[in-house]
Amino acid sequence: DALTRCIAKLRKVLEDDPRQPRYIETISKKGYRLIADISSEAPHPDTGAVPAAGKFPRRSLLWGLGASLVVLGLLLVGALRLLENSGDTVVEAQTRDRPSIVVLPFANMSDDPGHDYFSDGITADVTTALSKLSGLFVISQSSANGWRGTSVDIRQAASSLGVQYVLEGSVRRTGNSLRVNVHLIDASSDIYLWSEKYDRKLRSVFDVQDDITTNIINTLSVRLTEEEKRRTAQRYTTSIAAYDDFLRGQALYSHHTQEDNHLARDYYQQAIDRDEAFARAYSSMALTFVAEHRYGWSQSSPGQLDRALKLAEKGVSLDNELPQSYWVLAYVHVFRQEYHEAAEAANRAIELEPNYADSYITLAICKMHFGAPEEALHLVRKAMLLN
């Protein structure tokens, strides 16, 4: 574990991409290899000449690399001890008593690349369902997205993200038919613990998501509280059409442009028109008004934060057990500079979803305004472990 962290730090300093390495290569099931361009040439003893750029004496380079590793190792040990003494923890300590997992982006195997939003939506919802469980340590979707569209080395991905288990899958949507393939892998042994193929009608997408979550829980022997058992059975909506509009809106909102922000709002409104009790659609629409305020896209139309608050409160009132809705409410209150209300909502979001990185950051902002920077720092570090 220490070696893996050292290598990760070296790669970061060297700006070395592990998928296309220039300095340090991962050898599957063996270790690491130095692949930098080196030379056996040495400077003349009388002149002390420095080798040309890109050419380093082999012995000097290896001594330098060895010394760097030793120093880096000592620095890491010292840093870890400082973190432990200050009450903070590292990934290993966080996951010592519970399984750790990442859900990699599900591949869109449909003929239409425009269906990326749908496979992304399933990935996000499976991640969210697992994140609600206190017995799991779940890496955020935004961190997992760094492995999108790559030929993933499961061990490398798991090592980079600091988890033991990896869920990967694919989605094929054709008309009203749906095919989902999933694999749960123990990255430490490269063993498939559970695999399943679902051939269903589109209307059964929620059943598929529920089954995936249940099988992961059972395979990893995750203990659930009674409240968590009830939460895992919750669904955002019973309307597939509303769910599809919502996912389209999510994809557009993530682009963070004025035009797509308006289009996202239109899709959220369509979702609400199809299902007036769709709490997440109200909460997500609230974010589009916060974005307008934040980026100054509609200066001629004031009152965005008032609209955002009304929508966020509507989302919470429709379903008071959705962590996303409480985080949106906290986010809106932060921009309204209502930090006590924001902290209350962020705390509730964390209660409902212990792996919610954004909620920890939002709460940290509140702590800063309360004059408690050490508490804020602890929350930021916790969020960084997740994202």
Side-chain angles (χ1 to χ4, degrees), residues 150-298:
T150 63
S151 180
V152 178
D153 181 319
I154 294 298
R155 285 192 170 186
Q156 190 175 354
S159 174
S160 173
L161 297 170
V163 296
Q164 181 178 357
Y165 301 103
V166 174
L167 184 72
E168 64 172 3
S170 63
V171 178
R172 180 184 295 275
R173 177 180 172 180
T174 306
N176 289 320
S177 298
L178 181 70
R179 169 174 287 184
V180 179
N181 284 288
V182 286
H183 312 286
L184 178 63
I185 305 166
D186 183 341
S188 61
S189 58
D190 206 18
I191 292 176
Y192 281 54
L193 301 179
W194 170 72
S195 295
E196 189 60 82
K197 179 175 73 174
Y198 300 91
D199 283 308
R200 305 283 179 85
K201 293 298 182 183
L202 186 60
R203 63 177 178 270
S204 299
V205 63
F206 303 127
D207 295 327
V208 171
Q209 293 176 10
D210 291 345
D211 195 65
I212 292 171
T213 303
T214 299
N215 275 287
I216 292 172
I217 291 170
N218 292 337
T219 303
L220 300 184
S221 300
V222 179
R223 292 184 178 181
L224 305 184
T225 65
E226 289 302 317
E227 188 176 358
E228 287 173 341
K229 289 178 183 177
R230 185 165 47 81
R231 284 184 209 154
T232 56
Q234 283 184 311
R235 295 186 177 180
Y236 303 133
T237 179
T238 56
S239 168
I240 295 299
Y243 180 67
D244 192 74
D245 286 333
F246 171 75
L247 293 183
R248 291 178 186 272
Q250 294 288 82
L252 288 163
Y253 173 76
S254 68
H255 296 164
H256 299 295
T257 67
Q258 183 175 0
E259 181 180 0
D260 286 342
N261 193 63
H262 281 290
L263 289 173
R265 187 182 302 164
D266 290 341
Y267 274 113
Y268 293 142
Q269 185 60 58
Q270 285 182 201
I272 292 169
D273 292 342
R274 297 181 193 275
D275 181 358
E276 294 183 356
F278 198 165
R280 281 204 66 193
Y282 287 97
S283 299
S284 296
M285 188 187 290
L287 292 176
T288 66
F289 285 105
V290 176
E292 279 194 359
H293 168 83
R294 180 178 181 181
Y295 300 115
W297 287 334
S298 296

Side-chain angles (χ1 to χ4, degrees), residues 270-336:
Q270 285 182 201
I272 292 169
D273 292 342
R274 297 181 193 275
D275 181 358
E276 294 183 356
F278 198 165
R280 281 204 66 193
Y282 287 97
S283 299
S284 296
M285 188 187 290
L287 292 176
T288 66
F289 285 105
V290 176
E292 279 194 359
H293 168 83
R294 180 178 181 181
Y295 300 115
W297 287 334
S298 296
Q299 294 179 354
S300 60
S301 176
Q304 293 96 336
L305 292 184
D306 290 337
R307 297 179 195 175
L309 181 61
K310 185 176 180 180
L311 287 164
E313 290 176 336
K314 177 74 171 179
V316 168
S317 69
L318 286 170
D319 190 338
N320 62 3
E321 293 194 350
L322 276 180
Q324 299 96 330
S325 294
Y326 277 102
W327 172 75
V328 170
L329 182 59
Y331 187 71
V332 172
H333 278 306
V334 163
F335 277 91
R336 293 171 62 89

Side-chain angles (χ1 to χ4, degrees), residues 33-233:
R33 176 166 59 198
L34 180 68
I35 59 171
D37 181 20
I38 60 175
S39 169
S40 59
E41 297 173 4
H44 193 278
D46 296 329
T47 63
V50 177
K55 297 291 185 180
F56 299 93
R58 181 184 298 272
R59 182 172 297 176
S60 298
L61 179 65
L62 293 179
W63 270 104
L65 181 60
S68 298
L69 280 169
V70 170
V71 172
L72 182 58
L74 290 172
L75 287 173
L76 279 171
V77 170
L80 294 181
R81 285 177 178 169
L82 281 173
L83 285 174
E84 289 167 357
N85 291 337
S86 66
D88 288 302
T89 53
V90 291
V91 174
E92 287 77 7
Q94 284 278 349
T95 61
R96 190 176 297 131
D97 299 323
R98 52 181 172 157
S100 53
I101 189 171
V102 62
V103 181
L104 295 180
F106 283 15
N108 172 25
M109 304 301 290
S110 306
D111 295 331
D112 183 1
H115 283 164
D116 282 349
Y117 78 92
F118 192 79
S119 55
D120 288 347
I122 292 179
T123 307
D125 284 343
V126 171
T127 303
T128 298
L130 296 174
S131 295
K132 293 179 181 179
L133 309 179
S134 58
L136 275 177
F137 184 90
V138 185
I139 293 296
S140 73
Q141 186 191 1
S142 55
S143 288
N145 283 342
W147 297 86
R148 176 191 300 278
T150 63
S151 180
V152 178
D153 181 319
I154 294 298
R155 285 192 170 186
Q156 190 175 354
S159 174
S160 173
L161 297 170
V163 296
Q164 181 178 357
Y165 301 103
V166 174
L167 184 72
E168 64 172 3
S170 63
V171 178
R172 180 184 295 275
R173 177 180 172 180
T174 306
N176 289 320
S177 298
L178 181 70
R179 169 174 287 184
V180 179
N181 284 288
V182 286
H183 312 286
L184 178 63
I185 305 166
D186 183 341
S188 61
S189 58
D190 206 18
I191 292 176
Y192 281 54
L193 301 179
W194 170 72
S195 295
E196 189 60 82
K197 179 175 73 174
Y198 300 91
D199 283 308
R200 305 283 179 85
K201 293 298 182 183
L202 186 60
R203 63 177 178 270
S204 299
V205 63
F206 303 127
D207 295 327
V208 171
Q209 293 176 10
D210 291 345
D211 195 65
I212 292 171
T213 303
T214 299
N215 275 287
I216 292 172
I217 291 170
N218 292 337
T219 303
L220 300 184
S221 300
V222 179
R223 292 184 178 181
L224 305 184
T225 65
E226 289 302 317
E227 188 176 358
E228 287 173 341
K229 289 178 183 177
R230 185 165 47 81
R231 284 184 209 154
T232 56

